[in-house]
Amino acid sequence: MRIIKQLTPYIPAAQIFSLFAHEKDCAFLDSSLVNQLGRYSILGLYPYLQLKKTTDAFTVNGKPETRQSFEEYLDAYLEAHREENTTDLPLVSGAIGYFSYDYGRKLQQIPSQQQKTVAVPDAVLTFYDVFLIEDCWNKQTFLVANGKTQPAQQLTETILAIIYESKTKCSDSPAAEKHCLSVRADFEQAEYEQAVRRMMDYMVAGDIYVANMTQQFEIHSTKSPVDVFLSLRKNNPSPFGAYMNCEDFQIISASPERFVHIRNGISETRPIKGTRKRGTNAAEDQLLRQELQQSKKDRSELLMIVDLERNDLNRICLPGSVVVPEMFAIEAYATVFHLVSTVRGQVNPNASFSDILRAVFPGGSITGAPKYRAMEIIDELERCNRNIYTGTLGYLSLDGNCDWNIIIRTALHTNHTYYLGVGGGITAQSDPAFEYEETLQKARAMLDALQ
């Protein structure tokens, strides 16, 4: 029997996360920027089912599964265990996980000439017995215990004891010391600019209209992944941040971008195209905001991606239901401004979750248009495998609702090394030097957090 209990007194989920951050397979979806998008923070504990897809295997709780594919197993499990959520919480039962860009590339049947720089699974989905969910708007935190791994009452008592007996240890502040960084990029500036020009040549030739070009940093820092995450959420709050403590790697994210949100059958995607750094004062801020708002290059780039996202959603939505309620909105973050649109549609009730992934993943904002050809060119011109970068991370509820980000502003930590991808949208009007500088602006918040 499930138990749902409101915590009194109220404790923010980020403080509770600090008590459980080192637990195996702990996952935290963090709305540190509380706005119209960032309402809920969700902490998943006590896993009971983990689906893991690697290059050549699919495992269920660590055991190879050969009778069904990852997608077949997931769809069958979701259908067999579907249950309605009658609460106002975003989920009471379900999974948190990620799908890497490489998973999406294989889904689109695009081969790669790149070698994997880091050996992590293509996809991981972990179903949790316990969720701690903070309603950041109303300053309320709820404990949900499903009773899968232990009786729900026992789970509730155990977790409440840990939280309230450790109140003095409940902190969402990172350690104060400074750390030295060693950073190696896979492109020199001139090489990156040359790759951008080559991408623009493909546009002039008519292969593609817009594409995303990425460089990746390999960073050595002695700062712990948890402290990096706590620094990042404090100094660069985001609506779609996350921390995942996987078996031998950690994911630290401050993503500003929603990939796909489905609630009550309505799907929404919010592609970002166009970035400007923040100013040093209010006047400079306003000028940079206006520059982005009026940029023909950025508006045309976003328009092309919105057209692609509309086409993608039309593959799994009811005919005539896909609309664009918001076209060129400006969103402000700690270090940058972004130009954003919203695309919505009514999902066909017969569409499974893997149908949705096949239709829309990877996201158009971090591939290009046409998507298939853009992904081929990305693989040709980039220097290494994207791995989790520009994949998606989020939750999947057993009632069919979900919310997934785009994995940007995200570091992957393993073997004492951090891997950070940064990129931007390229059009035929791009300035290669400006595009290179934009990647550095996007890396700034993470590099600051790593120090």
Side-chain angles (χ1 to χ4, degrees):
M1 178 71 75
R2 177 183 296 128
I3 292 174
I4 301 177
K5 184 176 179 61
Q6 183 176 347
L7 301 195
T8 53
Y10 159 71
I11 301 177
Q15 292 185 15
I16 300 170
F17 160 76
S18 69
L19 300 174
F20 295 96
H22 298 289
E23 292 284 323
K24 184 178 181 293
D25 295 316
C26 164
F28 183 40
L29 304 180
D30 180 32
S31 294
S32 53
L33 181 63
V34 181
N35 58 11
Q36 75 275 16
L37 301 172
R39 176 170 182 178
Y40 294 102
S41 290
I42 303 168
L43 177 62
L45 299 169
Y46 291 82
Y48 66 89
L49 174 66
Q50 186 172 74
L51 313 182
K52 192 178 288 185
K53 178 76 175 74
T54 60
T55 300
D56 50 11
F58 160 46
T59 61
V60 178
N61 288 339
K63 297 178 181 177
E65 169 59 55
T66 56
R67 293 165 299 175
Q68 291 177 291
S69 70
F70 175 80
E71 294 78 19
E72 288 168 341
Y73 187 100
L74 176 59
D75 285 342
Y77 184 88
L78 294 176
E79 185 175 348
H81 295 85
R82 185 178 177 90
E83 58 172 283
E84 294 309 309
N85 175 9
T86 57
T87 75
D88 293 328
L89 299 174
L91 82 165
V92 291
S93 56
I96 296 174
Y98 73 83
F99 296 89
S100 70
Y101 176 85
D102 293 326
Y103 174 86
R105 179 180 52 73
K106 293 168 188 173
L107 208 61
Q108 300 290 342
Q109 299 184 317
I110 296 171
S112 176
Q113 63 182 6
Q114 304 293 352
Q115 295 296 311
K116 267 205 168 191
T117 51
V118 190
V120 301
D122 287 344
V124 175
L125 265 183
T126 305
F127 290 79
Y128 291 94
D129 195 350
V130 171
F131 294 101
L132 283 138
I133 302 172
E134 179 185 1
D135 182 338
C136 304
W137 290 1
N138 295 319
K139 303 296 183 190
Q140 297 173 322
T141 301
F142 297 87
L143 168 61
V144 181
N146 285 286
K148 298 279 189 182
T149 59
Q150 300 171 34
Q153 185 61 42
Q154 185 178 324
L155 281 168
T156 301
E157 291 170 1
T158 299
I159 291 167
L160 290 178
I162 293 171
I163 292 170
Y164 287 115
E165 288 172 13
S166 308
K167 274 174 69 176
T168 55
K169 300 178 189 173
C170 264
S171 172
D172 56 3
S173 297
E177 70 223 74
K178 281 286 185 181
H179 297 260
C180 294
L181 295 187
S182 163
V183 182
R184 185 180 70 83
D186 62 353
F187 280 96
E188 297 291 339
Q189 180 172 351
E191 294 170 333
Y192 186 84
E193 291 179 15
Q194 181 57 36
V196 169
R197 290 189 191 95
R198 184 75 187 99
M199 195 169 265
M200 293 165 69
D201 289 342
Y202 277 117
M203 292 168 190
V204 172
D207 284 57
I208 49 175
Y209 313 113
V210 59
N212 184 282
M213 180 68 203
T214 289
Q215 66 168 326
Q216 295 201 47
F217 297 122
E218 183 179 302
I219 305 157
H220 294 277
S221 169
T222 54
K223 195 166 183 177
S224 76
V226 172
D227 276 345
V228 172
F229 172 73
L230 294 176
S231 293
L232 194 62
R233 74 178 306 277
K234 178 182 177 183
N235 298 316
N236 190 56
S238 66
F240 303 111
Y243 184 91
M244 287 184 65
N245 187 34
C246 302
E247 188 171 5
D248 51 7
F249 63 97
Q250 291 77 38
I251 298 171
I252 303 121
S253 180
S255 175
E257 184 168 357
R258 169 174 278 161
F259 169 52
V260 65
H261 174 259
I262 298 176
R263 187 156 186 84
N264 300 325
I266 301 296
S267 65
E268 176 183 283
T269 185
R270 301 189 81 255
I272 289 175
K273 275 291 149 212
T275 303
R276 292 295 184 277
K277 66 179 181 180
R278 294 295 302 266
T280 55
N281 54 52
E284 189 181 356
D285 239 13
Q286 186 58 27
L287 283 173
L288 288 162
R289 178 191 284 267
Q290 287 177 351
E291 180 186 309
L292 178 58
Q293 183 75 68
Q294 296 165 8
S295 166
K296 290 183 179 179
K297 181 259 183 188
D298 291 303
R299 290 168 76 93
S300 68
E301 186 182 342
L302 184 54
L303 194 59
M304 286 185 278
I305 295 304
V306 165
D307 193 45
L308 184 152
E309 301 283 22
R310 286 172 61 247
N311 289 338
D312 281 357
L313 281 185
N314 267 310
R315 295 167 65 188
I316 46 100
C317 286
L318 297 176
S321 71
V322 177
V323 295
V324 184
E326 184 179 48
M327 190 58 215
F328 299 116
I330 298 287
E331 287 182 353
Y333 294 90
T335 60
V336 294
F337 290 114
H338 284 311
L339 193 65
V340 188
S341 292
T342 301
V343 187
R344 290 195 190 115
Q346 178 80 42
V347 178
N348 187 322
N350 296 322
S352 69
F353 185 70
S354 67
D355 289 336
I356 294 167
L357 277 180
R358 287 189 186 92
V360 302
F361 186 61
S365 67
I366 44 73
T367 51
K371 185 186 286 188
Y372 189 95
R373 184 66 181 123
M375 291 176 71
E376 289 183 323
I377 292 168
I378 283 167
D379 190 76
E380 174 194 330
L381 297 179
E382 291 182 357
R383 288 284 175 84
C384 65
N385 199 280
R386 281 193 178 184
N387 218 304
I388 68 163
Y389 175 65
T390 64
T392 185
L393 187 157
Y395 74 79
L396 178 58
S397 171
L398 290 181
D399 67 352
N401 293 340
C402 64
D403 203 359
W404 297 87
N405 74 7
I406 294 275
I407 300 179
I408 54 176
R409 315 297 191 276
T410 299
L412 172 66
H413 174 264
T414 185
N415 294 327
H416 310 292
T417 305
Y418 292 86
Y419 298 88
L420 173 66
V422 283
I426 310 301
T427 71
Q429 292 78 42
S430 286
D431 174 349
F434 180 88
E435 299 297 345
Y436 177 80
E437 178 61 31
E438 184 177 306
T439 66
L440 301 186
Q441 289 298 328
K442 290 173 176 175
R444 197 176 100 199
M446 185 63 77
L447 292 174
D448 287 346
L450 283 160
Q451 287 186 312

